[in-house]
Amino acid sequence: MRELTSRQQEILELIKQHIQTTGFPPTRAEIANQLGFKSANAAEEHLKALARKGVIELTSGASRGIRLTPSLTPSNASSAAAGSSMIERITHVISNTLSLPLIGRVAAGSPILAQEHIDSKFDVDPTFFSDTPDYLLRVRGLSMRDAGILDGDLLAVKKAVDARNGQIVIARIGDEVTAKRLRKHSGYVELLPENPDFQPIIVTNPNEFSIEGIAVGLIRGGKNFN
């Protein structure tokens, strides 16, 4: 990995912190605002430089389409130290593996973790996520595209019955289950997509709405997990 400038390192740390806090990467506008750039374009140029240096990957057309690329080889270590680091990493992953059920399609009106909904189970490292998830949910469609959540991805979800404004939640509306960004109002709830091609869902009847969980991370390219 090529050496980062101080500004690039600052942006990389900001991305890591944002993912750790919210479960998802920041937008270009959020990076620009946090670091005092005049426009989101300045943030974009720094992100492209980080991508060229191999520390992140960018998803075209998604405002939160930033993915960290973990480096397995320390940049300033001998080959022996690098080998030792690799062994420690593998040992850590094996000893801290978390087995999560993968939920495919959810049948109307039945619990999300019902046995008939579980396609399979996957062993993952819980440190990949902002909080320890309880299950993986296969994403269907592109309504959350601009949050970097694409069709076929695996969304890591922590079970919860409440959430803060702005969090991405797994919500049940009547018999349907959907992933959207939560916005609470007095007397009603909005479930916001992250794609201008989709309309917000407005729920006024509390008896038709419940929160099943909070998104705490993402596994890209879940279509390849069969």
Side-chain angles (χ1 to χ4, degrees), residues 24-93:
F24 294 91
T27 64
R28 276 68 166 170
E30 288 168 343
I31 293 173
N33 183 63
Q34 185 74 20
L35 298 181
F37 296 155
K38 291 183 178 180
S39 72
N41 288 336
E44 177 70 13
E45 290 307 311
H46 285 293
L47 291 174
K48 288 179 179 178
L50 287 171
R52 286 194 296 270
K53 291 184 176 181
V55 295
I56 65 171
E57 295 175 0
L58 299 177
T59 301
S60 178
S63 65
R64 296 185 190 273
I66 304 168
R67 179 180 179 274
L68 295 174
T69 305
S71 174
L72 298 182
T73 306
S75 57
N76 295 309
S78 66
S79 58
S84 175
S85 175
M86 177 68 78
I87 293 171
E88 291 173 0
R89 182 184 294 271
I90 293 171
T91 302
H92 168 78
V93 170

Side-chain angles (χ1 to χ4, degrees), residues 208-219:
E208 295 181 351
F209 171 78
S210 62
I211 292 174
E212 299 273 346
I214 299 169
V216 296
L218 188 74
I219 297 176

Side-chain angles (χ1 to χ4, degrees), residues 137 139 143-144 149 155 168-171 177-181 192-193:
L137 184 67
V139 176
S143 67
M144 298 300 287
I149 303 173
L155 197 62
I168 293 176
V169 301
I170 308 305
V177 172
T178 186
K180 294 290 185 292
R181 195 174 295 280
L192 305 176

Side-chain angles (χ1 to χ4, degrees), residues 87-178:
I87 293 171
E88 291 173 0
R89 182 184 294 271
I90 293 171
T91 302
H92 168 78
V93 170
I94 292 173
S95 62
N96 291 276
T97 293
L98 180 66
S99 184
L100 297 176
L102 169 62
I103 309 301
R105 296 188 181 277
V106 179
S110 60
I112 200 167
L113 282 171
Q115 186 60 42
E116 60 267 26
H117 301 160
I118 298 175
D119 285 352
S120 53
K121 290 193 175 183
F122 289 100
D123 293 333
V124 299
D125 183 347
T127 61
F128 289 167
F129 309 109
S130 61
D131 201 350
T132 303
D134 293 295
Y135 59 92
L136 300 171
L137 184 67
R138 191 182 296 276
V139 176
R140 307 289 183 182
L142 292 170
S143 67
M144 298 300 287
R145 178 197 66 194
D146 291 349
I149 303 173
L150 307 179
D151 184 55
D153 286 347
L154 305 184
L155 197 62
V157 182
K158 184 176 181 63
K159 289 190 291 186
V161 296
D162 197 12
R164 301 189 306 273
N165 269 344
Q167 288 186 303
I168 293 176
V169 301
I170 308 305
R172 186 180 293 273
I173 311 162
D175 287 337
E176 301 295 324
V177 172
T178 186

